[in-house]
Amino acid sequence: MIGAKISALFLVIAGIGLAVHVIRRSNGGSFGRRPELRSRWTRWICGAAGGAILLAFGIVTIRAAQSDVPEVSGPRTLRVPTLPPPADVFVGDRRVPAGRYLLHLAAVRPGQSSGTAVTSESFDFHWPSDLHRRFNLRATVGNVIVNADLVVDDMQWSASKRWDYEGSRNLSVKSVNSSSRSSSGGIVLPDVDYFGSVGGGKIFLSLRGELGETLEFLSDLTPVREDDPLRAGKLEDLIAIRGPELWRNLRAPERNNGPLELGEFRRSHDSPAEALANALDFNVLPLLAAAILLAQLFRRRWPGFVQVSAAIILYLGALDRFALRLTEAHVRDPANPVEVRVDVCRRMTSTAFFRETASQHLGELARDASLPPALRLRAAYLRGEK
Amino acid sequence: MNRRIVQGLLWREWLLHRDELTWIFSAWVFGVWVVPFPPPVFMILFGIVSACLLAPSFGGSDAAEGSEEFSFALPPSRAQRYLVRLALGGGVLMALMAGALLAALFDLPQALWGLVFESTMTVPFSPTRPPFVFGLACALAAAIFADAFAAGACTRTPGGIGLLWLRAPMLAGIVMGAGFILEGIVTHGKSSGILASPLLGAWTLFRLFQGYRQYEIKEGVSGLPPLRRVGSSLAWGIVIAVVLAVLALFFLVMVPSA
């Protein structure tokens, strides 16, 4: 397949070269009819300016591909019980809340079920003294502040043999440019809710950008014995309290589509021009400026502009491929902490021109038994595997 | 037709209009192959702009220079001049429109970029509804070209081609509008352009034939053409600056909302 592509590409280039040669030979016009070259200074200045823009683009793109993951400043602890849960308390034949509970609040990456949460905390909840108390989870992820508030006002055992809660929860995301998203409503426990998209946005003069992600908000209230010393735990310990099946059912299936759904990508754009503009965003302007400047090197501006534009698109493709390789090397490097590798793995989905290759390589990561399970799960999710 | 005369006329027209043809060809390559725009939008805009540029220039170049009566004194006949200019100018325009249509129907630019890339540049064109918008785009370009070409060829003053870029689209628009209205009457409000395209085609043939008959009996235009400023670098610089400013405003509005 690759051999066929290379052969076809060679034929296309040869055909274009032959056509240009024949046109020039059949032109018949004397050199005197050709437009004059622009002054040397004009060509040098325009060439230097255009080349500087492209060089800056390359440097910023590669640096973005190698940059560290956003720092998280906030609690990342979870406590889980070490003893079996206490016996249920009854008044008559009706189950009533009593004693000690653990309120778990955690913000996790979509589909994450193991490892360290993005931010998490477990609170001691005592019935009924902690009713109406506001429990808060707050963290800074890069330049975004994630905040979750939860209040339990009452809990009652319902006829459907489950606890019904009265209370409120409020999730908000606020970025440094003051944009924010929030949602609020009643509470259900255990529950999976969603913050607004965290982070994301294009970087000036970079093909890659910061990837936004809709974090999941996991909340649960589990009974524990009064004398349980508790222990530090990871996300998989929290999941194990109720069982992975329950949490899997709570997660909305349509939200588990990995960002590399190729069919969705193709259907979401009307033309390559729209897809390219979407991929570049405001970086179209400096690239357009570079194309106009470099076109001044040609005797005829407009054909020169077309040639330079095609060359710039090929240059962007080469940058994209190189950045993808750098990211993958970062993910596979065993010297990096697992959490960092799991975070960086997502950057593989930000490729603009090589989504199939990224999907294929994520599939290889997901099937590589030598990699940590958290990384393999992450790769499978990003690829769109359920 | 005398083959040597036709070759000579073709060569003359090519040398005279080479820059315009180069510009239009470059725009076509850019919009169809390098950065494939949505085909209906590109074909309509490209067809209108190219027709407005090419037709007055091809049709009325001799008159605009004030040298037409001298040209008529040369061996090539009026009919030969008219047909050769029509073949080169109109032929190039229609060939480029046909090329754009083929590229749109078979996703050819995506196939070409697919040799190198896997996504973004290989996104297929979304289906065009209704599909004969393509026919309308070609017919509109042909109608504008035909009217401007015929009017330019038959102009009686050196400055007569000045406003053809405005008149031709207006007349073609009126014909197209009449087609839509007729269709609306026939189909009870469901206009889809299926009558407008043949109407534009008929208008094209009518104007070209009428222009041909008038040009055959035309007296040559002589006299000094109006003074024109030479040197368009400043104008192009202003145009580019305005386009960049509009794009910057567009993205400044888009980026915060995204």
Side-chain angles (χ1 to χ4, degrees), chain A residues 27 270 273 302 352-353 356-357, chain B residues 11 18 23 36 118-120 126:
Chain A
N27 191 7
D270 288 335
W302 287 108
F353 299 104
E356 285 184 24
T357 298
Chain B
W11 179 236
R18 179 186 178 148
W23 185 91
E118 296 166 354
S119 53
T120 298
S126 57

Side-chain angles (χ1 to χ4, degrees), chain B residues 104-142:
Chain B
L105 291 177
F106 298 106
D107 284 347
L108 296 179
Q110 289 86 336
L112 191 62
W113 281 115
L115 295 172
V116 185
F117 298 136
E118 296 166 354
S119 53
T120 298
M121 300 306 290
T122 57
V123 166
F125 293 125
S126 57
T128 302
R129 296 277 180 269
F132 62 83
V133 166
F134 293 123
L136 194 63
C138 294
L140 191 60

Side-chain angles (χ1 to χ4, degrees), chain A residues 5 8 12 27 265 269-273 275-276 281-282 285 288 300 302-303 306 309 313 317 352-357, chain B residues 11 18 22-23 26 29-30 34-36 38 110 112-120 123-126 247-248 251 255:
Chain A
K5 276 193 174 183
V12 167
N27 191 7
F265 179 81
H269 298 97
D270 288 335
S271 65
L276 185 64
D281 209 317
F282 51 81
L285 289 177
L288 187 62
R300 293 190 169 90
W302 287 108
V306 173
S309 300
I313 291 174
F353 299 104
F354 297 99
R355 294 176 80 89
E356 285 184 24
T357 298
Chain B
W11 179 236
R18 179 186 178 148
T22 303
W23 185 91
S26 303
V29 170
F30 184 81
V34 176
V35 183
Q110 289 86 336
L112 191 62
W113 281 115
L115 295 172
V116 185
F117 298 136
E118 296 166 354
S119 53
T120 298
V123 166
F125 293 125
S126 57
L247 282 174
F251 281 112
V255 168

Side-chain angles (χ1 to χ4, degrees), chain A residues 94-376:
Chain A
R94 195 166 64 89
R95 190 176 300 189
V96 295
R100 184 190 183 198
Y101 294 84
L102 267 182
L103 178 66
H104 307 280
L105 303 180
V108 302
R109 284 178 293 275
Q112 184 185 3
S113 56
S114 62
T116 306
V118 175
T119 181
S120 60
E121 197 164 359
S122 297
F123 302 90
D124 267 304
F125 182 94
H126 292 271
W127 181 272
S129 56
D130 284 330
L131 287 177
H132 317 299
R133 177 186 163 192
R134 188 174 74 94
F135 295 92
N136 173 255
L137 179 70
R138 183 185 172 91
T140 305
V141 182
N143 58 358
V144 174
I145 300 170
V146 171
N147 191 80
D149 292 317
L150 192 138
V151 176
V152 179
D153 293 325
D154 195 11
M155 56 192 281
Q156 291 188 4
W157 188 252
S158 70
S160 50
K161 303 217 182 325
R162 44 173 280 172
W163 289 107
D164 283 343
Y165 298 88
E166 284 181 25
S168 63
R169 61 119 182 89
N170 190 343
L171 308 177
S172 69
V173 168
K174 186 174 177 183
S175 66
V176 289
N177 62 1
S178 300
S179 68
S180 64
R181 295 183 183 88
S182 64
S183 64
S184 56
I187 57 171
V188 173
L189 294 167
D191 190 31
V192 176
D193 208 331
Y194 298 89
F195 289 95
S197 182
V198 173
K202 286 291 180 184
I203 301 173
F204 185 59
L205 290 182
S206 172
L207 184 58
R208 300 293 185 96
E210 292 172 357
L211 292 173
E213 195 165 28
T214 300
L215 294 180
E216 291 180 344
F217 176 65
L218 275 54
S219 54
D220 195 7
L221 190 70
T222 56
V224 294
R225 289 177 187 272
E226 292 286 353
D227 56 346
D228 193 330
L230 306 177
R231 65 172 176 88
K234 297 267 188 189
L235 189 60
E236 56 265 33
D237 299 315
L238 170 62
I239 300 281
I241 293 174
R242 301 268 189 188
E245 187 74 24
L246 179 139
W247 290 102
R248 203 176 302 123
N249 292 335
L250 285 174
R251 282 173 153 144
E254 64 274 12
R255 288 206 181 233
N256 285 342
N257 286 338
L260 267 185
E261 283 285 320
L262 294 170
E264 178 71 30
F265 179 81
R266 291 196 171 162
R267 283 188 295 272
S268 61
H269 298 97
D270 288 335
S271 65
E274 183 186 337
L276 185 64
N278 196 51
L280 295 174
D281 209 317
F282 51 81
N283 286 314
V284 164
L285 289 177
L287 290 172
L288 187 62
I292 292 171
L293 287 167
L294 290 172
Q296 308 310 311
L297 299 174
F298 294 81
R299 283 182 190 270
R300 293 190 169 90
R301 283 190 193 100
W302 287 108
F305 176 79
V306 173
Q307 292 169 62
V308 167
S309 300
I312 286 176
I313 291 174
L314 289 170
Y315 171 69
L316 293 178
L319 269 182
D320 194 29
R321 191 71 178 91
F322 186 58
L324 183 61
R325 276 188 173 269
L326 282 178
T327 303
E328 193 176 347
H330 203 88
V331 170
R332 286 189 175 275
D333 186 1
N336 292 325
V338 173
E339 299 302 325
V340 169
R341 294 163 76 183
V342 168
D343 273 332
V344 170
C345 192
R346 191 164 194 275
R347 286 199 194 137
M348 291 179 66
T349 64
S350 68
T351 175
F353 299 104
F354 297 99
R355 294 176 80 89
E356 285 184 24
T357 298
S359 177
Q360 182 189 342
H361 289 189
L362 281 171
E364 288 168 8
L365 285 172
R367 289 186 296 272
D368 189 348
S370 64
L371 295 176
L375 183 57
R376 292 172 60 192

